[in-house]
Amino acid sequence: MARAFASTWSTLTTDVAQQDPRRTSLRVGRLSKAHGLKGALKLELFTDDPDRRFVPGSAFSLQVPSTSPWHGSSIVLSELRWYNGAPVAFFEGVSDRTAAESLVKAILWTDDADQSTEENAWYDHQLVGLRVHRDGVDVGSVSRVDHLPSQDLLIVATDNGDVMVPFVAAIVPLVDIDAGTVTVTPPYGLFEEAPDDGSETRAKHASGPVE
């Protein structure tokens, strides 16, 4: 599920979907750093409802590189603590720092039984095919959603090729599923090539001095 009003989003990826294509999953967090010596990991949240998503006994599918010993595995939360306002997670079977470090950068997915609790969140299939509007003009359509550790990207198919649009509120202020549209307010240069200084200088010389 993708979320536009945060710096990071959540959605089903191919790596997780291949484990069971019938599942609907939600990306809810990323393990960012080992914490202490007892297997704890600092947690970057991708959900507005951590108290419901991260309760003892919650199971998560792991999105990790194929070379990771955790590839294709799931993990169970034993405890979530807060240190200086930041969440730290403990998992069953992760009992020391070495094990915790092997999980750094892993993305956590959970089966999503209730979409209604996540505001401004959409599944990939809801976004793909939406027409993209900029200043009231149709500039293309969403062809897919790419999920990176730092943020998600809308890949917009235009007449001039694909454009990667960061799925953040400042650039994608409105998703209207009923209307079938996405409104974007991108910085200059994202949908067009900005002229380089050299071309502007050559143009000024070619036109002669300004009177």
Side-chain angles (χ1 to χ4, degrees), residues 164-195:
M164 296 183 292
V165 179
F167 203 4
V168 293
I171 298 177
V172 187
L174 178 63
V175 175
D176 191 334
I177 298 296
D178 293 335
T181 61
V182 174
T183 299
V184 297
T185 55
Y188 181 73
L190 189 60
F191 277 85
E192 63 278 299
E193 283 191 28

Side-chain angles (χ1 to χ4, degrees), residues 127-132 140-145 154-157 182:
L127 297 168
V128 172
L130 296 183
R131 302 303 303 180
V132 179
S141 64
V142 178
S143 62
R144 70 177 191 274
V145 183
L154 296 183
I155 308 303
V156 179
V182 174

Side-chain angles (χ1 to χ4, degrees), residues 5-165:
F5 289 25
S7 59
T8 51
W9 313 49
S10 12
T11 310
L12 188 66
T13 68
T14 302
D15 185 56
V16 174
Q18 285 176 345
Q19 297 174 26
D20 185 346
R22 297 167 299 177
R23 289 172 51 196
T24 299
S25 296
L26 182 71
R27 188 178 71 168
V28 292
R30 175 177 176 268
L31 302 176
S32 60
K33 186 178 181 181
H35 179 83
L37 303 176
K38 297 183 179 180
L41 287 129
K42 290 186 176 180
L43 176 64
E44 180 183 0
L45 294 173
F46 295 167
T47 174
D48 295 327
D49 195 4
D51 291 338
R52 184 171 75 89
R53 299 292 184 186
F54 291 90
V55 297
S58 297
F60 303 94
S61 297
L62 294 169
Q63 181 183 338
V64 293
S66 59
T67 54
S68 169
W70 296 96
H71 186 256
S73 300
S74 60
I75 199 167
V76 176
L77 183 75
S78 58
E79 186 178 2
L80 183 69
R81 299 179 185 175
W82 295 82
Y83 293 93
N84 298 320
V88 174
F90 294 80
F91 297 95
E92 294 180 7
V94 183
S95 58
D96 57 36
R97 189 176 183 88
T98 299
E101 288 178 342
S102 70
L103 281 163
V104 170
K105 297 185 180 180
I107 295 175
L108 304 180
W109 294 77
T110 184
D111 288 343
D112 185 31
D114 181 8
Q115 303 179 38
S116 63
T117 59
E118 300 286 344
E119 296 183 359
N120 301 313
W122 300 271
Y123 290 107
D124 286 14
H125 72 266
Q126 294 178 293
L127 297 168
V128 172
L130 296 183
R131 302 303 303 180
V132 179
H133 290 177
R134 178 190 186 189
D135 297 328
V137 176
D138 189 314
V139 295
S141 64
V142 178
S143 62
R144 70 177 191 274
V145 183
D146 284 353
H147 306 283
L148 306 180
S150 58
Q151 65 183 13
D152 288 347
L153 298 173
L154 296 183
I155 308 303
V156 179
T158 74
D159 291 340
N160 297 318
D162 288 348
V163 176
M164 296 183 292
V165 179

